[in-house]
Amino acid sequence: MEKLVSLAKRRGFVFQSSEIYGGLGSVWDYGPLGVELKKNIKERWWRSMVHEREDIEGLDAAILMHPKVWEASGHVAGFTDPLVDCKHCKNRFRADDPRIKGTPGQPDGQCPACGTKGTLTAPRQFNLMFKTFMGPVEEQAAVIYMRPETAQGIYVNYLNVLQSSRQKVPFGIAQIGKAFRNEITPGNFIFRTREFEQMEMQFFVKPGSENDWFERWRTERMKWVEGLGVRPEKLRWHQHGKDELAHYAADAYDIQYEFPFGWQEFEGIHNRTDFDLKNHQQHSGKKLDYLDAATNERFIPYVVETSAGADRTTLVVLCDAYREEAVKGEDGADKEEQRVVLKLKPSLAPLKAAVFPLVNKDGMPEVARRIYDDLRRRLNVFFDDGGSIGRRYRRQDEAGTPFGITIDGQTSQDQTVTVRDRDTLKQVRVANGQLVEYLKEKLAT
Ligand code: GAP
């Protein structure tokens, strides 16, 4: 994991937030390559959920919502972790922290930070929502929350979307947006953070048909994940046991990936029943039921939710693409050398190609610049004329750039360039005039 974190910083994928001030705990910033990679993943999700389906609409709800939303949703009462405090060193831990020896609240309970015995409090429930104040007065009545999931913005807009889009149940609403959780044990880079992005879709169905839709969405989501190019043997399902289910869920399956720190969830499919809509109807006093015009039945729809983390999915893609391998003779020399390469699916790669003049003379830089300027209007490409060609390849391997285009002595004679494939290292000569077509075809997957 350290190697990936260091590559992510070196190549401009992910930086620690506020690094010059010593960093802000478990908050991360995406650099020039990271923002492209995450955007490509989000766009792929949006395309498959919203553009390619006629039964799903998009939404972008605000992060700040009426505080009653979180009472109705059960998050004020139930979105908690049991925590213990050390009265001596003032540190706070999850009650199930495996480093705690003895029983918190008892004389044998030992603080994992300062080692003092008997100073840990008995577990208390700690709410994970960030609070802030709206308006000029910082008082209890002005408290609002930073949303801990994007789903609620969908539920409170369900009727607006239904009526304005003229959809009929079954139908879905999809949204990508930030969520915030004051996690007590965050960590593992961008795996568990306090500010993160979710890609969520709530599918509204007739009661009684939820199990069928649940299975359909499980199949769809696994297909989508495999479409990211992730190795199938690194993916598996995990069904939540009764003690793992969130307060709103009747059934839940996680898609897990085998990260360097073990199997962990990065997407969940949840049967949320009519829990959320029923509670919003009750708390708001507004009718949220649906009239089925075909049967004249009225019902509150059940919801099947697909909930993916954009950051965690980005981490899956990065972990899966990271390889160290030996390659031979790319710098003219015949010796083997180690390379680090991100074997990203070309359509997800932040940079699609890098353009290199072989040497900085004989008109090569000028031709290379012209080719780069032409490509730049259609694809995200990079120009690099610094260092040996081998070192330039290595830098782009680490960035996951699928193609390297080299302008060499032959270019001025026959208007062709070499195109090097990141994964096979094979080079082919392609006519300048056909370069865009050639790359677009290869990048289509
Ligand atoms: N609306 C349902 C929901 O929020 P969840 O299992 O709590 O369900 C869904 O979260 C997804 O959101 C997770 O699978 C994960 O990818 C992402 N996620 C949740 N908490 C996160 C955190 N602290 N940091 C990064 N991603 C997180």
Side-chain angles (χ1 to χ4, degrees), residues 33 43 86 103 112 139 160 177 190 202 219 222 235 237 250 274 319 330 336 359 387-388 417 441:
L33 296 193
E43 281 178 1
C86 174
T103 310
E139 59 182 18
N160 286 335
I190 53 172
Q202 314 298 316
T219 309
M222 188 56 103
L235 296 166
W237 286 106
D274 55 358
C319 287
E330 282 222 299
E336 248 189 17
V359 288
S388 73
V417 294
E441 194 182 311

Side-chain angles (χ1 to χ4, degrees), residues 95-236:
D96 58 1
D97 190 321
R99 297 168 306 159
I100 294 178
K101 296 201 181 79
T103 310
Q106 300 295 322
D108 68 337
Q110 187 177 13
C111 172
C114 68
T116 318
K117 273 192 179 169
T119 54
L120 292 179
T121 61
R124 282 187 299 226
Q125 292 301 326
F126 173 83
N127 198 291
L128 298 182
M129 285 194 290
F130 278 102
K131 275 185 197 167
T132 185
F133 298 95
M134 192 148 122
V137 187
E138 293 195 3
E139 59 182 18
Q140 189 53 31
V143 165
I144 54 165
Y145 301 96
M146 312 281 278
R147 67 181 175 198
E149 61 167 5
T150 60
Q152 298 302 326
I154 294 181
Y155 299 136
V156 300
N157 278 296
Y158 135 85
L159 272 189
N160 286 335
V161 175
L162 182 70
Q163 286 159 1
S164 58
S165 64
R166 304 179 65 233
Q167 286 281 359
K168 290 189 175 63
V169 169
F171 84 107
I173 305 177
Q175 146 155 264
I176 298 177
K178 291 266 187 174
F180 303 83
R181 296 183 190 177
N182 195 5
E183 301 276 6
I184 297 307
T185 45
N188 282 324
F189 193 32
I190 53 172
F191 178 78
R192 181 171 287 113
T193 55
R194 295 191 165 107
E195 172 177 342
F196 55 96
E197 235 174 330
Q198 290 187 315
M199 309 186 285
E200 294 201 305
M201 192 281 300
Q202 314 298 316
F203 204 73
F204 301 89
V205 305
K206 188 171 179 178
S209 65
E210 67 276 10
N211 292 338
D212 179 39
W213 279 107
F214 191 74
E215 287 311 313
R216 285 206 224 174
W217 278 111
R218 284 210 311 131
T219 309
E220 282 295 314
R221 293 310 301 151
M222 188 56 103
K223 224 174 9 181
W224 185 84
V225 167
E226 287 176 355
L228 298 172
V230 179
R231 287 164 290 182
E233 67 272 22
K234 293 272 190 180
L235 296 166
R236 73 176 188 195

Side-chain angles (χ1 to χ4, degrees), residues 330 339 397 401-404 419-428 438 442:
E330 282 222 299
R339 75 162 177 167
D397 286 345
T401 311
F403 301 105
V419 180
R420 167 200 185 256
D421 182 294
R422 174 197 69 199
D423 299 339
T424 63
L425 305 178
K426 290 221 172 77
Q427 301 199 10
V428 291
Y438 179 87
K442 297 264 177 191

